[in-house]
Amino acid sequence: MQKKNFIVLFLLLITANTIFSQKDGYWDKARATTEEISVSARDRIIIKTQEFPEGTTEVVYRITLLDKNQQMAGSLVSVLKAIPDPTGISQGSAGAVFILSKISGDDTCKYAIFSSNDLAVKYKENGKTDDACLVQDTPVSKDAKRLSTEKSACMKSNSGNLWFGFESKNWIMNQKIILEVVPWVDNKLSRGWTLENRKQIIDQCKTSNMAQKMTNSDDFCVCILDKIQSKYKFKEFQKLLAIERSKAFKDFGNNCFNETGASNVVYNGLRKQASDLAKQGLYGAAIAKLNTIINNNKATVLDYNSIGNSYILTKQYGKAIKFLKEGEKLDDSELLIKLNLAHAYLLNNNYSSAKVIYKEYQSQNVTDSLGWTEKVKLDFEAFKKKGIQNNDFERVLKLMEK
């Protein structure tokens, strides 16, 4: 029983590994090359493949030499229908045997592959294969290989085509050669988003005003890149007007600002800066930081309390009342904002409105350990140190003693 369970687990692991290792792409049968070539005795000939589509990362080719009246048993395209992933071709000798032609003639040929037309033309003229990216120097009657951008020089340097050069080894009769080349297209790369193109978008994002407000903008910029890649092919994005590209960056940036948590980082940074500035007595600069948060609709009730306090300390009582009342709408139970509103009314010569608030909450705590009356006394002392005097300070304190 244990042995049976082990076998089942082993098979599941193999299946899972196969599924998750598959590449996301397709065999482009529409742009496959299928050429039937007649090579004269002791001659050389060049065949150019169809242009590979954008995103081609590998190709499979098959060469078959046929006798005079032979016909192909099945095309390479039909064979590849059974192989949904090019890595399956290279998994042992079985894959290579599978894509080989079932038949071939007695004739043989040498061949070489070139990555440019100029190199191929030179080969046709002199037969030298020094500049070839792949050489089959031993005459064969059939052959099949997979070329990938990861391992093959032919794919790393190719300009969208390959050139196959054949040299007949038949000294008397013409040869009949079938060349088939099928490209594998990576779905993501087919949209034109190469490593260099993606880096270009990231670099542009990094220099944006929004990104420069962040200590680490990596997640934010990757988010924008993902959204641009999903909506546009690279060439489509490049064809947009400058104003359209700018709007796309702005719209995607606004979405990513919230999605990646970058907004929390930025606004918490602004809060800390405002707090530090206020501690240094730079209330105007602190107000500017807090206004940025408020104008972007990201303010909490404590942000309104902080800006209200800074307006009080700069003797801008009317503005203090305005912002404190806005904060009150967010949380009517926050006593810190109630207290600052009472201070603003008092300092703005509205004792009657201030009196109502001072009296209403005098039995409560403004924090878990600080009573309302004690906080009033501390605030009045702080105001005096800042040069803010009012004849009604003592009047308020006596009011709360009753």
Side-chain angles (χ1 to χ4, degrees):
M1 186 66 179
Q2 287 183 342
K3 183 176 180 182
K4 182 179 179 181
N5 290 338
F6 175 78
I7 292 172
V8 170
L9 178 61
F10 179 71
L11 291 173
L12 285 172
L13 288 172
I14 291 176
T15 303
N17 184 61
T18 302
I19 291 171
F20 289 112
S21 65
Q22 284 188 339
K23 295 189 176 182
D24 186 14
Y26 60 94
W27 295 111
D28 194 334
K29 303 173 181 68
R31 280 177 278 193
T33 299
T34 303
E35 292 282 348
E36 184 174 314
I37 315 144
S38 180
V39 185
S40 302
R42 294 175 290 174
D43 198 5
R44 286 187 294 273
I45 190 170
I46 298 297
I47 299 298
K48 178 184 177 182
T49 65
Q50 287 201 50
E51 186 170 354
F52 302 142
E54 191 165 17
T56 297
T57 57
E58 39 211 313
V59 300
V60 169
Y61 70 86
R62 184 169 72 177
I63 296 166
T64 311
L65 277 74
L66 301 176
D67 288 340
K68 183 176 181 181
N69 296 317
Q70 281 183 306
Q71 298 295 322
M72 291 295 295
S75 69
L76 179 59
V77 165
S78 64
V79 171
L80 290 175
K81 287 181 180 178
I83 309 177
D85 183 340
T87 55
I89 295 169
S90 300
Q91 292 172 354
S93 59
V97 171
F98 187 58
I99 64 171
L100 282 174
S101 173
K102 294 179 181 178
I103 59 173
S104 66
D106 295 326
D107 287 341
T108 59
C109 74
K110 294 181 179 181
Y111 70 88
I113 305 177
F114 300 88
S115 57
S116 75
N117 182 64
D118 291 342
L119 297 176
V121 169
K122 289 179 182 178
Y123 161 79
K124 186 176 181 182
E125 293 172 353
N126 57 33
K128 293 182 179 180
T129 58
D130 296 346
D131 296 322
C133 56
L134 188 148
V135 178
Q136 178 57 49
D137 210 28
T138 302
V140 293
S141 61
K142 58 185 176 183
D143 201 4
K145 283 186 175 68
R146 168 191 170 222
L147 307 176
S148 72
T149 52
E150 296 173 355
K151 297 181 180 180
S152 172
C154 296
M155 296 302 293
K156 287 178 181 177
S157 60
N158 93 85
S159 58
N161 302 88
L162 289 177
W163 286 259
F164 283 74
F166 295 95
E167 182 179 350
S168 171
K169 300 312 291 180
N170 191 324
W171 288 75
I172 302 173
M173 305 292 290
N174 290 352
Q175 289 184 321
K176 182 180 179 182
I177 301 174
I178 305 295
L179 170 64
E180 300 165 279
V181 185
V182 184
W184 171 269
V185 182
D186 181 284
N187 281 332
K188 183 174 284 189
L189 294 180
S190 69
R191 296 177 63 79
W193 290 105
T194 62
L195 179 64
E196 189 60 35
N197 293 339
R198 298 199 304 275
K199 187 176 182 297
Q200 179 180 326
I201 299 298
I202 293 291
D203 289 344
Q204 186 173 347
C205 169
K206 289 281 189 180
T207 61
S208 67
N209 290 333
M210 196 173 287
Q212 290 182 342
K213 294 175 182 177
M214 307 172 195
T215 52
N216 188 338
S217 60
D218 289 355
D219 289 347
F220 172 71
C221 289
V222 169
C223 176
I224 290 179
L225 172 63
D226 286 344
K227 290 185 181 297
I228 292 175
Q229 285 184 102
S230 297
K231 185 170 182 179
Y232 302 101
K233 291 184 177 181
F234 178 71
K235 288 183 179 178
E236 292 173 346
F237 188 70
Q238 290 298 95
K239 288 179 181 179
L240 294 177
L241 297 173
I243 192 171
E244 292 175 318
R245 287 199 298 273
S246 178
K247 184 178 185 303
F249 261 99
K250 182 180 179 181
D251 292 345
F252 292 141
N254 288 335
N255 292 333
C256 291
F257 195 55
N258 295 315
E259 289 177 17
T260 62
S263 62
N264 293 333
V265 174
V266 169
Y267 293 125
N268 286 340
L270 287 172
R271 290 182 182 103
K272 186 178 185 309
Q273 291 171 36
S275 176
D276 291 343
L277 289 166
K279 288 175 183 176
Q280 298 172 47
L282 302 173
Y283 301 111
I287 288 170
K289 299 292 182 184
L290 293 166
N291 261 322
T292 299
I293 300 173
I294 292 169
N295 292 337
N296 288 333
N297 299 315
K298 298 297 180 180
T300 66
V301 63
L302 294 180
D303 293 327
Y304 280 102
N305 182 64
S306 295
I307 197 170
N309 187 62
S310 290
Y311 275 125
I312 289 173
L313 293 173
T314 54
K315 301 182 180 181
Q316 300 180 76
Y317 307 125
K319 289 183 179 180
I321 293 169
K322 172 190 171 184
F323 282 96
L324 291 167
K325 291 182 77 171
E326 286 295 317
E328 197 176 32
K329 294 176 185 177
L330 294 180
D331 186 355
D332 191 51
S333 66
E334 179 53 65
L335 293 192
L336 285 173
I337 210 163
K338 297 279 190 187
L339 184 55
N340 266 327
L341 184 58
H343 294 336
Y345 280 137
L346 182 69
L347 295 169
N348 203 41
N349 299 318
N350 188 347
Y351 176 80
S352 58
S353 295
K355 175 184 175 182
V356 173
I357 301 174
Y358 284 130
K359 193 67 180 171
E360 182 175 356
Y361 301 103
Q362 73 178 70
S363 63
Q364 298 189 39
N365 282 1
V366 291
T367 69
D368 59 350
S369 59
L370 183 62
W372 175 275
T373 302
E374 186 179 356
K375 180 71 165 86
V376 171
K377 291 178 180 178
L378 291 173
D379 286 351
F380 285 173
E381 289 300 318
F383 291 155
K384 290 175 183 178
K385 288 180 181 179
K386 296 291 181 182
I388 299 173
Q389 298 284 348
N390 191 284
N391 295 330
D392 288 323
F393 284 168
E394 292 301 321
R395 187 179 178 187
V396 170
L397 295 175
K398 288 181 180 179
L399 173 71
M400 290 188 293
E401 290 175 357
K402 295 179 181 179

